[in-house]
Amino acid sequence: MIKIVPLSEVQHHASHITDWLWQAFGEGTSREFYDSIVRSSLNGAEYPVTFVALDGDVPLGTVGFWRCDLISRQDLYPWIAALYVDEPARGNGLSEALQQHVLNYARERGHEKLWLWSTFGGYYERFGWQYQCDALEFPDVRVKVYSQDL
């Protein structure tokens, strides 16, 4: 049975999650950068929180709840960020489950809207995300900004 838990409850997976994020999103960025993000989610602060989907004790995917995921749009928060599903686990609804987990988490904390950005369109709309605008990811990558009302 798959369960989604905060990484702070299964800290022994932190290095594995760091590797996933660095390999998936880290082009031009050091592994240490992603390690810093993952480690900061273990401090018990409101942001960031890293969640891990597990089958038993085997990690299948991860997602973050962050204060800021787009430097050019710091007026928007909170964000769903760093959504990653390991290749063998794809195609089984895990991405949707991870998204829904963060939506519920944000709603329980009194937030009215959640944001995300992507370099491509057509995927997140399937899960109720609404395109809001284009923006720039540092230093000059065009991205699409989405939101979902909670």
Side-chain angles (χ1 to χ4, degrees), residues 113-116 128-132 145-149:
K113 187 174 289 217
L114 194 59
W115 299 88
L116 72 76
W129 294 93
Q130 297 177 2
Y131 169 80
Q132 298 299 321
V145 176
Y146 296 88
S147 69
Q148 193 166 140
D149 291 333

Side-chain angles (χ1 to χ4, degrees), residues 63-66 69 78-82 98-99 102 114-117 129:
V63 67
F65 175 69
W66 295 2
D69 189 30
W79 293 79
I80 187 172
L98 285 163
Q99 291 174 59
V102 176
L114 194 59
W115 299 88
L116 72 76
W117 67 263
W129 294 93

Side-chain angles (χ1 to χ4, degrees), residues 2-7 10 17 20-21 25 49-55 58-66 79-108 114-116 123-124 127 129 148 150:
I2 295 173
K3 63 181 177 176
I4 299 172
V5 300
L7 180 59
V10 288
I17 301 306
W20 275 350
L21 298 181
F25 308 116
V49 179
T50 299
F51 294 100
V52 182
L54 299 167
D55 184 0
V58 177
L60 303 176
T62 186
V63 67
F65 175 69
W66 295 2
W79 293 79
I80 187 172
L83 174 63
Y84 178 82
V85 175
D86 197 25
E87 252 184 79
R90 293 179 187 171
N92 296 316
L94 188 53
S95 171
E96 183 175 15
L98 285 163
Q99 291 174 59
Q100 192 59 54
H101 189 83
V102 176
L103 287 163
N104 292 340
Y105 183 85
R107 185 180 303 108
E108 289 168 3
L114 194 59
W115 299 88
L116 72 76
Y123 180 75
Y124 289 104
F127 305 107
W129 294 93
Q148 193 166 140
L150 304 176

